[in-house]
Amino acid sequence: MKRIDNFKSIIDRYEIVFFDAFGVLKTYKGLLPGIEKTFEYLEQQGKEYYIVTNDASRSPLQLAQSYHKYGLNIIDPERIVSSGMLTKEYLDLKVNGGIVAYLGTPESAHYIDAEGRQTLPVSEVNSTNIDKVNALVFMDDEGFDWFEDINKTVNLLRKRTIPAIVANTDYAYPLSKNDISIAVGSIANMVESIVGKEFIRFGKPDSQMFMFAYDLIRERRPINKKNIVMVGDTLFTDIIGGNKFGLDTVLVLSGNTLPGDAESSIHATGIVPTYICENAVVETDGFGF
Amino acid sequence: MKRIDNFKSIIDRYEIVFFDAFGVLKTYKGLLPGIEKTFEYLEQQGKEYYIVTNDASRSPLQLAQSYHKYGLNIIDPERIVSSGMLTKEYLDLKVNGGIVAYLGTPESAHYIDAEGRQTLPVSEVNSTNIDKVNALVFMDDEGFDWFEDINKTVNLLRKRTIPAIVANTDYAYPLSKNDISIAVGSIANMVESIVGKEFIRFGKPDSQMFMFAYDLIRERRPINKKNIVMVGDTLFTDIIGGNKFGLDTVLVLSGNTLPGDAESSIHATGIVPTYICENAVVETDGFGF
Amino acid sequence: MKRIDNFKSIIDRYEIVFFDAFGVLKTYKGLLPGIEKTFEYLEQQGKEYYIVTNDASRSPLQLAQSYHKYGLNIIDPERIVSSGMLTKEYLDLKVNGGIVAYLGTPESAHYIDAEGRQTLPVSEVNSTNIDKVNALVFMDDEGFDWFEDINKTVNLLRKRTIPAIVANTDYAYPLSKNDISIAVGSIANMVESIVGKEFIRFGKPDSQMFMFAYDLIRERRPINKKNIVMVGDTLFTDIIGGNKFGLDTVLVLSGNTLPGDAESSIHATGIVPTYICENAVVETDGFGF
Amino acid sequence: MKRIDNFKSIIDRYEIVFFDAFGVLKTYKGLLPGIEKTFEYLEQQGKEYYIVTNDASRSPLQLAQSYHKYGLNIIDPERIVSSGMLTKEYLDLKVNGGIVAYLGTPESAHYIDAEGRQTLPVSEVNSTNIDKVNALVFMDDEGFDWFEDINKTVNLLRKRTIPAIVANTDYAYPLSKNDISIAVGSIANMVESIVGKEFIRFGKPDSQMFMFAYDLIRERRPINKKNIVMVGDTLFTDIIGGNKFGLDTVLVLSGNTLPGDAESSIHATGIVPTYICENAVVETDGFGF
């Protein structure tokens, strides 16, 4: 574990950089100030990047547009890998027909639509269509009535022996400086412990997230894991997940891990990043480039 | 473990009978048919009973009235021990003043009211009163907006270092023949895992429930645990809790444990009742009494 | 939560003091220096004490003798409440005959012996006596071959549908300044997750420990929980257990909770002691008494 | 979920078959009778196979030799993917120098040896070399003194902030008709809960196992996940892992899942295989080939 002052030197050491989104590129207030310089430097140096994010609320295109809206026009939807994409791949491979019931917004469900397979909010499952429901997906914490629809989900899973997929494993996400919001991963955990079944989860720290990005790279060119670095703000998802996949990792202190807590958290958890860096902003000194 | 045909012979062996409520005395359809004969026989034989129930939705008086409504007028509120009563005792001993915030109905909160201590629904906690909140209680799964108020509870517990009390540890309860409803115990588990704090739980299988009833008896007369039997429909609460407290136990098959599953569930869990009996109804043969 | 400088003022506020043993009265090095003054003051003031300890390795008499050996002759075996005593009470009430198999030293087993009931080390269970084994008890982490006998315990519990009792729920205990030793509670957790059964556990934070001491007091005189204080070094056992039972609690910083960590641990866990005090030693000033 | 009578028809539907080892190809008694016909048919039909196994006790070469010993000479070490191989890959990528301490046999450790990196049994870690220990690996449940070395492992992980790797996540394995043996995965879980750190685990159901085999295939030729089927005897590892990776799956009833329990286990867990088949033996009828 080594402290690095300028994120620039991280980019200089690797060919490809994987970024977590929340807490690294943006916060509840919007883009991380100065982060555009990082992407300029990546482009200038001919380095590739991927954004590897636990997010199933929107499609990669919509996720990219959320960066464009803030002025970071450089972000390419093809460089975004989300847990929602893994959910879509799972459904495409494993659920050929019938209905996929979901908890989430219509926007989140639209993305997992496919020919020959219908997506339906849990609220619209009823006695006439329940026998056609072939999967249940936890997409987003919004877009439904918690009391009505979480209870209905419990009973749906007691009646139908179908896979339940958690498209975002996060427990909670920051809403403002002082408040967090419960994420769909926590809701899924509650339902799982009530129905006593085994759910399928997509999202960091699971290695399938990293593999998906890794595969996108290899379709275009050969790469060695030693030349990829994962940048994240959370020891329990980004760092241990990146480490386990065999990547070098950078813990940044602009999100979940506070500067004063980094050392003690690393010691307490045994999750050791390769580097610690204040944030992922490339500081330019007027000389460097 | 011994199969017993007529619950009458259980009563004949003990001085005091502890009953679970749901699945033993009543179901989602109302009173268990014939259960009034059991209470008649108890009275006739001069045997005492206690109803030991995970319920914080109402006061013992209101719980007794719910039996009277169905015609079982014999039930005395003083013979009901609920997890809500333990919650009230805890608050009386440990929270002397300020505000007790709660998730539940006004009815459930009314019972834990006390002089010098204010109960307030979580929805009404705000920046002007949050500093006076000295405890948070999970009372009932109804009476609040799940999305708004569960999220608010998470943030309240992140801001205030106060005890969080779970007044009913049940995960779910039966709503109809085919459907169950999520109980406040599951909501509390979800919140606990998000905030990472340690909650205080009242309810079977915890021995404090049995001790409360045991103490009520001893205030009036000496008793040996060998002369008390616990009757319940659930291995994980009634039976293991009764066993651990040192009581003999009867598993009845009129609720959570289906007749065809009893043997395999006992073997799988290692939770062994002293007796198994179809239900807690005393079958009268025209001769017996 | 209030900081207290001299433990003397704690004693002055209550009629009865419950002490945890390890980290409060003694450490791996022996008696806590000065602790004898606390017991002298208790005696002088006519206050009662109980030692409430997760320990099943020895009988209360032997535990008292271990204090006498260090010169603290005042300790009365009748004032010691151990998780081993609850185990013994459970067996006396629930296991009438046959064999109780155990993991632990012969010394630990001797205490749970009873007429008509045989205790047998797991190593001596074989095809000729396995059908008579009616309970399995995890007594101590020493006195057996871990590889042979833990594996044998797993298979015994797969073959026999019997209660498994954990006589000490602690995970680990301090061995020296830098080292800890795995306690039998951790071994029991491992076995439980392999066999998938539900074990019965005795020991703090479970309220049955406090109830046992409380009952000993009430046999001799009336007492109100408000007049008892629990003193411990561990938030997760002594403090939350005492709180839940309705007692005031004192966190001392001479054991598991380091002085620099107390505030942050209390905030992180939400387990709030009534008082914090450096240690349980009564500082005498030459005037006080 | 569809019942299949003859495993032959499974092979006919796919290009590549992944097999679990224990409970599918072999049992505690040796090779599954008739399994050689399956490999003959695979070869005859020009289908590929991989053996995907949670095993870190030996190298792929030694694992292959264990099949040869039983007369199944067809098994190629290059077709074996073990959790030990993922451990080796992790160490090669992430632990460049120093000492890797391990629990296991010398045989298991030999395989993870590498130039510039020393493997050392935990028993040989001492004050002169502890500062050079850069990783701890749980390899096997044999080859060490449980009491001495598991305790030593706990203290090593409390003193050194290093990754702890679990090379086989299985809880237990069958030893004979009636007995099982605790596997190193259970020991690792116990140590993890004592030290409170986050371990890195390799083995099914984790998708990294499947990915490793999938990558081996793609190095030689293009393949679609739809053309691979995973065959296993365990819902919680083989089937849910294969499903999550996007493969079709076959539950065979020659190992952990008993014929009479399959339907109820599938319903209880919600883990649904694509097919159920008595075993993985190709039944030849004298005509087929």
Side-chain angles (χ1 to χ4, degrees):
Chain A
M1 196 175 65
K2 201 173 155 184
R3 293 221 162 236
I4 295 287
D5 287 334
N6 191 341
F7 190 75
K8 188 169 167 292
S9 71
I10 299 283
I11 294 180
D12 293 343
R13 283 165 213 221
Y14 296 91
E15 289 179 40
I16 295 180
V17 186
F18 286 0
F19 292 100
D20 176 37
F22 220 95
V24 177
L25 306 181
K26 56 185 179 178
T27 69
Y28 61 90
K29 284 187 291 193
L31 282 191
L32 197 80
I35 198 69
E36 68 283 358
K37 286 184 287 184
T38 300
F39 287 88
E40 284 160 17
Y41 188 67
L42 282 164
E43 184 152 87
Q44 186 195 30
Q45 299 294 315
K47 304 286 173 102
E48 277 184 58
Y49 69 89
Y50 285 85
I51 299 173
V52 181
T53 176
N54 285 3
D55 195 329
S57 65
R58 290 173 289 183
S59 69
L61 180 59
Q62 291 168 316
L63 287 169
Q65 286 166 345
S66 76
Y67 291 96
H68 304 167
K69 202 179 62 189
Y70 288 121
L72 197 60
N73 295 309
I74 208 169
I75 301 293
D76 182 342
E78 303 213 339
R79 298 302 179 81
I80 296 180
V81 173
S82 74
S83 52
M85 293 165 71
L86 271 77
T87 301
K88 183 173 169 48
E89 187 195 39
Y90 172 87
L91 294 172
D92 289 347
L93 284 164
K94 297 283 296 178
V95 182
N96 300 317
I99 293 171
V100 173
Y102 70 93
L103 285 180
T105 61
E107 205 173 19
S108 68
H110 179 66
Y111 176 59
I112 55 168
D113 267 343
E115 233 185 87
R117 197 177 61 213
Q118 188 193 350
T119 52
L120 198 71
V122 164
S123 60
E124 293 179 20
V125 172
N126 57 43
S127 60
T128 70
N129 57 27
I130 188 169
D131 287 341
K132 291 179 207 132
V133 176
N134 288 334
L136 181 281
V137 190
F138 294 86
M139 294 298 291
D140 201 357
D141 60 293
E142 295 184 288
F144 58 94
D145 180 303
W146 279 29
F147 178 77
E148 289 295 335
D149 294 346
I150 301 176
N151 268 303
K152 202 167 171 182
T153 300
V154 164
N155 287 301
L156 171 59
L157 290 175
R158 294 174 73 240
K159 288 166 190 165
R160 296 278 298 146
T161 300
I162 53 174
I165 297 101
V166 187
N168 177 354
T169 50
D170 286 354
Y171 276 28
Y173 55 92
L175 202 63
S176 66
K177 185 162 184 292
N178 294 313
D179 288 331
I180 64 172
S181 198
I182 298 171
V184 77
S186 286
I187 295 172
N189 290 350
M190 178 174 70
V191 173
E192 190 182 36
S193 79
I194 294 169
V195 299
K197 304 202 172 182
E198 198 75 7
F199 291 3
I200 289 176
R201 288 177 166 76
F202 293 110
K204 291 170 287 180
D206 191 75
S207 39
Q208 221 160 332
M209 283 289 285
F210 298 96
M211 180 181 12
F212 198 100
Y214 188 57
D215 275 355
L216 290 179
I217 303 165
R218 289 192 299 176
E219 279 168 19
R220 289 178 294 104
R221 60 138 155 164
I223 182 75
N224 186 308
K225 285 182 177 180
K226 292 233 182 212
N227 296 320
I228 306 175
V229 68
M230 170 72 203
V231 184
D233 69 321
T234 309
L235 290 171
F236 281 98
T237 54
D238 308 312
I239 305 305
I240 198 170
N243 282 347
K244 189 186 164 201
F245 192 66
L247 308 182
D248 281 358
T249 49
V250 185
L251 179 70
V252 291
L253 308 175
S254 48
N256 274 332
T257 308
L258 300 178
D261 297 342
E263 303 274 356
S264 67
S265 295
I266 289 167
H267 181 70
T269 61
I271 305 171
V272 189
T274 319
Y275 306 104
I276 298 181
C277 195
E278 198 64 29
N279 56 49
V281 174
V282 166
E283 301 292 343
T284 55
D285 53 10
F287 298 93
F289 61 98
Chain B
M1 196 174 67
K2 202 173 153 183
R3 292 221 162 238
I4 295 287
D5 286 334
N6 191 341
F7 190 74
K8 188 168 165 293
S9 72
I10 299 283
I11 295 180
D12 293 343
R13 283 165 214 223
Y14 297 91
E15 290 178 37
I16 295 180
V17 186
F18 287 0
F19 291 100
D20 177 36
F22 220 96
V24 177
L25 306 182
K26 56 185 179 179
T27 69
Y28 61 91
K29 284 188 290 194
L31 282 191
L32 197 79
I35 199 68
E36 67 284 356
K37 287 183 284 185
T38 301
F39 287 88
E40 283 159 18
Y41 188 67
L42 283 164
E43 185 154 88
Q44 187 195 27
Q45 298 294 315
K47 304 284 173 104
E48 278 184 56
Y49 70 88
Y50 285 86
I51 299 173
V52 181
T53 176
N54 284 2
D55 195 327
S57 65
R58 289 172 290 182
S59 69
L61 180 59
Q62 291 167 317
L63 287 169
Q65 286 166 345
S66 75
Y67 290 96
H68 303 168
K69 204 178 63 189
Y70 288 122
L72 196 59
N73 294 309
I74 208 170
I75 302 292
D76 181 342
E78 303 213 340
R79 298 301 179 80
I80 297 180
V81 173
S82 73
S83 53
M85 292 165 71
L86 271 77
T87 302
K88 183 172 168 49
E89 187 196 39
Y90 172 87
L91 294 173
D92 289 348
L93 284 164
K94 298 285 295 180
V95 182
N96 300 316
I99 294 170
V100 173
Y102 70 92
L103 285 180
T105 61
E107 206 174 17
S108 67
H110 179 66
Y111 176 60
I112 56 167
D113 267 344
E115 233 185 87
R117 198 177 62 212
Q118 188 193 348
T119 53
L120 198 73
V122 163
S123 60
E124 293 178 22
V125 173
N126 58 43
S127 60
T128 70
N129 57 27
I130 190 170
D131 288 341
K132 290 178 207 133
V133 177
N134 287 335
L136 182 279
V137 189
F138 294 85
M139 294 298 291
D140 201 356
D141 60 294
E142 294 183 287
F144 58 93
D145 181 304
W146 279 29
F147 178 76
E148 289 295 335
D149 295 346
I150 301 177
N151 268 302
K152 202 166 171 183
T153 300
V154 165
N155 287 301
L156 171 60
L157 290 174
R158 293 174 73 241
K159 288 166 189 164
R160 296 278 297 146
T161 300
I162 53 174
I165 297 101
V166 188
N168 177 354
T169 50
D170 286 354
Y171 277 28
Y173 56 92
L175 202 62
S176 67
K177 185 161 185 290
N178 294 312
D179 288 332
I180 64 172
S181 198
I182 298 171
V184 76
S186 286
I187 296 172
N189 290 351
M190 177 175 73
V191 172
E192 190 181 35
S193 80
I194 294 169
V195 299
K197 304 202 172 182
E198 196 76 8
F199 290 3
I200 289 176
R201 288 176 167 77
F202 293 111
K204 293 170 287 179
D206 191 74
S207 38
Q208 221 160 334
M209 283 289 284
F210 298 96
M211 180 180 11
F212 199 99
Y214 188 57
D215 276 355
L216 291 179
I217 302 165
R218 289 193 300 177
E219 280 169 17
R220 290 179 293 104
R221 60 139 156 162
I223 182 74
N224 186 308
K225 285 182 177 180
K226 293 233 180 210
N227 296 320
I228 306 175
V229 68
M230 170 72 203
V231 184
D233 70 320
T234 310
L235 290 171
F236 280 100
T237 55
D238 307 313
I239 305 306
I240 199 171
N243 282 347
K244 188 186 165 200
F245 191 66
L247 308 182
D248 280 0
T249 49
V250 185
L251 179 70
V252 291
L253 308 175
S254 49
N256 274 333
T257 309
L258 300 178
D261 297 343
E263 302 274 356
S264 68
S265 295
I266 288 166
H267 181 70
T269 61
I271 304 171
V272 189
T274 319
Y275 306 104
I276 299 182
C277 197
E278 198 65 28
N279 56 48
V281 173
V282 166
E283 300 293 343
T284 56
D285 52 11
F287 299 94
F289 62 98
Chain C
M1 196 175 68
K2 205 173 151 182
R3 292 221 162 237
I4 295 286
D5 286 335
N6 190 339
F7 190 75
K8 188 168 166 292
S9 71
I10 299 283
I11 295 180
D12 293 343
R13 283 166 213 221
Y14 298 90
E15 289 179 37
I16 295 180
V17 186
F18 286 1
F19 292 99
D20 176 36
F22 221 95
V24 177
L25 306 182
K26 56 184 179 179
T27 70
Y28 61 92
K29 283 187 290 195
L31 282 191
L32 198 78
I35 199 68
E36 69 282 359
K37 287 184 284 183
T38 300
F39 287 88
E40 283 160 17
Y41 189 66
L42 283 164
E43 185 154 88
Q44 185 195 30
Q45 297 295 314
K47 305 284 173 105
E48 278 183 55
Y49 70 89
Y50 284 86
I51 299 174
V52 181
T53 176
N54 285 1
D55 195 327
S57 66
R58 288 172 291 180
S59 69
L61 179 60
Q62 291 167 317
L63 287 169
Q65 286 166 344
S66 76
Y67 291 96
H68 304 168
K69 201 179 64 189
Y70 288 122
L72 198 59
N73 295 309
I74 209 169
I75 301 292
D76 181 343
E78 303 214 339
R79 298 302 178 80
I80 296 181
V81 173
S82 74
S83 52
M85 292 165 71
L86 272 78
T87 301
K88 182 171 170 48
E89 187 195 40
Y90 171 88
L91 294 172
D92 289 347
L93 284 164
K94 298 284 296 179
V95 181
N96 301 315
I99 293 171
V100 173
Y102 70 93
L103 286 180
T105 61
E107 205 173 18
S108 67
H110 180 65
Y111 176 59
I112 57 167
D113 266 343
E115 232 185 271
R117 200 177 61 214
Q118 187 194 350
T119 52
L120 198 71
V122 164
S123 60
E124 294 179 21
V125 173
N126 58 44
S127 60
T128 70
N129 57 27
I130 188 168
D131 288 339
K132 290 180 207 134
V133 177
N134 288 334
L136 181 280
V137 190
F138 295 86
M139 294 298 291
D140 201 356
D141 59 294
E142 295 183 287
F144 57 95
D145 180 303
W146 279 30
F147 178 76
E148 289 295 335
D149 294 346
I150 302 177
N151 269 304
K152 201 165 172 185
T153 300
V154 164
N155 287 302
L156 170 60
L157 291 174
R158 294 175 72 241
K159 287 166 189 164
R160 296 278 298 145
T161 301
I162 53 173
I165 298 101
V166 188
N168 177 355
T169 51
D170 286 354
Y171 277 28
Y173 55 92
L175 201 63
S176 66
K177 187 161 185 290
N178 294 313
D179 288 332
I180 64 173
S181 197
I182 298 171
V184 77
S186 286
I187 295 171
N189 291 349
M190 177 174 72
V191 173
E192 190 181 37
S193 80
I194 293 169
V195 299
K197 305 203 171 182
E198 197 76 9
F199 290 3
I200 289 177
R201 288 177 167 76
F202 293 110
K204 293 170 286 176
D206 191 74
S207 37
Q208 221 159 331
M209 283 289 284
F210 298 96
M211 182 179 10
F212 199 99
Y214 188 57
D215 276 356
L216 290 180
I217 303 166
R218 288 192 302 177
E219 280 169 18
R220 289 179 293 105
R221 59 136 156 164
I223 183 73
N224 186 307
K225 285 182 177 178
K226 292 235 181 211
N227 296 320
I228 306 175
V229 68
M230 170 72 202
V231 184
D233 68 322
T234 310
L235 290 171
F236 281 99
T237 54
D238 307 312
I239 305 305
I240 199 170
N243 282 347
K244 189 186 165 203
F245 192 65
L247 308 183
D248 281 359
T249 48
V250 186
L251 178 70
V252 291
L253 308 176
S254 48
N256 274 332
T257 309
L258 300 178
D261 296 343
E263 302 274 353
S264 67
S265 294
I266 289 167
H267 181 70
T269 60
I271 304 171
V272 189
T274 319
Y275 306 104
I276 298 182
C277 197
E278 199 64 28
N279 56 49
V281 173
V282 166
E283 300 293 342
T284 54
D285 52 11
F287 298 94
F289 61 98
Chain D
M1 195 175 70
K2 204 174 154 182
R3 292 220 163 238
I4 295 286
D5 286 334
N6 191 339
F7 190 75
K8 187 169 166 292
S9 72
I10 299 283
I11 295 180
D12 293 343
R13 284 166 213 220
Y14 298 90
E15 289 179 37
I16 294 179
V17 186
F18 287 1
F19 292 100
D20 176 37
F22 221 95
V24 177
L25 306 182
K26 57 183 177 180
T27 69
Y28 61 90
K29 284 187 289 194
L31 281 192
L32 197 79
I35 199 68
E36 68 284 357
K37 287 184 285 184
T38 301
F39 287 88
E40 284 160 18
Y41 188 66
L42 283 164
E43 185 153 87
Q44 185 196 31
Q45 298 294 315
K47 305 285 173 104
E48 277 183 56
Y49 70 90
Y50 285 86
I51 299 173
V52 180
T53 177
N54 285 2
D55 195 329
S57 65
R58 290 172 290 182
S59 69
L61 179 59
Q62 291 168 315
L63 287 169
Q65 286 166 344
S66 74
Y67 292 96
H68 304 168
K69 202 179 62 188
Y70 288 121
L72 197 59
N73 295 309
I74 209 169
I75 301 293
D76 182 341
E78 303 214 338
R79 298 302 179 83
I80 297 180
V81 173
S82 74
S83 53
M85 292 165 73
L86 271 77
T87 301
K88 182 171 169 50
E89 188 195 39
Y90 171 88
L91 294 172
D92 289 347
L93 284 164
K94 298 284 295 180
V95 181
N96 301 316
I99 293 170
V100 173
Y102 71 92
L103 285 180
T105 61
E107 205 173 19
S108 68
H110 180 65
Y111 176 59
I112 56 168
D113 267 342
E115 230 184 272
R117 198 176 61 213
Q118 187 193 350
T119 51
L120 198 71
V122 163
S123 60
E124 293 178 22
V125 172
N126 57 43
S127 59
T128 70
N129 57 28
I130 189 169
D131 288 341
K132 289 179 208 134
V133 177
N134 287 335
L136 181 280
V137 190
F138 294 85
M139 293 298 290
D140 201 356
D141 60 293
E142 295 182 287
F144 56 95
D145 180 305
W146 279 29
F147 177 77
E148 289 296 333
D149 294 345
I150 302 177
N151 269 304
K152 201 166 172 185
T153 300
V154 164
N155 287 301
L156 170 60
L157 291 174
R158 294 173 73 240
K159 288 167 190 164
R160 295 280 298 147
T161 301
I162 53 173
I165 298 102
V166 187
N168 177 355
T169 51
D170 287 353
Y171 276 28
Y173 56 92
L175 201 62
S176 67
K177 187 162 184 290
N178 294 312
D179 288 331
I180 63 173
S181 198
I182 298 172
V184 77
S186 286
I187 296 172
N189 290 351
M190 177 174 72
V191 173
E192 189 182 35
S193 80
I194 294 169
V195 299
K197 305 203 171 183
E198 197 76 8
F199 291 3
I200 289 177
R201 287 176 168 76
F202 292 110
K204 292 170 287 177
D206 191 75
S207 36
Q208 221 159 332
M209 283 290 285
F210 299 96
M211 181 179 13
F212 199 98
Y214 188 57
D215 276 355
L216 291 179
I217 303 166
R218 289 192 299 176
E219 279 169 17
R220 289 179 294 105
R221 58 136 156 166
I223 184 73
N224 186 308
K225 285 182 178 179
K226 292 233 182 214
N227 296 321
I228 306 174
V229 68
M230 170 71 203
V231 183
D233 69 322
T234 309
L235 290 171
F236 281 99
T237 55
D238 307 312
I239 305 304
I240 199 170
N243 282 347
K244 189 185 165 202
F245 192 66
L247 308 183
D248 281 358
T249 49
V250 185
L251 179 71
V252 291
L253 308 176
S254 48
N256 275 331
T257 308
L258 301 178
D261 297 342
E263 302 274 354
S264 68
S265 294
I266 289 166
H267 181 70
T269 60
I271 305 171
V272 189
T274 318
Y275 306 104
I276 299 182
C277 197
E278 199 64 27
N279 55 49
V281 173
V282 166
E283 300 293 343
T284 55
D285 51 13
F287 298 93
F289 61 96

